[in-house]
Amino acid sequence: MAVARSTSPQGPLSSRRPAELPPTAWAVLGLLSFPGERTGYELKKWADASLRHFYWSPAISQIYAELRRLEALGYATSRRSGPEEPRAKRSYAITAEGRAALIGWAGGAGDAGPAVLKHPLLLRVWLGHLAAPEHLRALVAEHIAHTRGELKEVHDALAAADGEAAWTHPQIALRWSGRRLEAEIELAEAMLVDLTEMGASAPLGQPPEDSPTQG
């Protein structure tokens, strides 16, 4: 049994300029730009397998919030499954207006913005004068093992995408992610050497006498 798709309450968008959206909304719309339609759960799984390695994987609640926003704008449409399905679910697809807006955003002029790095382990190391040296080394070793696991996931995702013409550009992004993770492992191993060589030279609980930077 076919179920009619929902339509935007705002009508056609051909006469309106593309909406100003946060990056997460564009990322969700970008997931919908590939062939097929997907549920919010499927979008979350794909974000975990791809987006999180180079950008960020939104929570499932954020994905559904962005889907509602995109649907209200007319950038996405959805349909509920029919009674033949054991469990009702809602699938989403991009609209022509949504694809046009995404093309405009992806090909837009200007700086894409700086990369933002928030490294929790480095924050711990920065506060290393408050931690036991062996604890810091254990944290770094754990980080190396975790990063190697992420690198395997990238390689698995690349293998799954191999030969899929529609995933050519995601494969480029994943290959970059693999090289970044390899560099992260190398950097962490060098930091582990630094911490080992430092040993117990700095007394625990004693902060530096002065800031290493001016100000």
Side-chain angles (χ1 to χ4, degrees), residues 141-193:
E142 181 181 351
H143 174 70
I144 292 172
H146 177 77
T147 306
R148 285 178 175 150
E150 286 197 345
L151 182 59
K152 181 182 182 302
E153 291 181 14
V154 169
H155 289 161
D156 291 344
L158 278 168
D162 188 37
E164 296 287 343
W167 295 357
T168 299
H169 289 92
Q171 287 181 67
I172 293 174
L174 283 170
R175 282 195 289 270
W176 178 91
S177 300
R179 290 189 287 268
R180 182 192 67 81
L181 290 170
E182 290 169 355
E184 176 71 19
I185 293 171
E186 182 179 349
L187 290 169
E189 289 175 339
M191 183 165 58
L192 189 57
V193 171

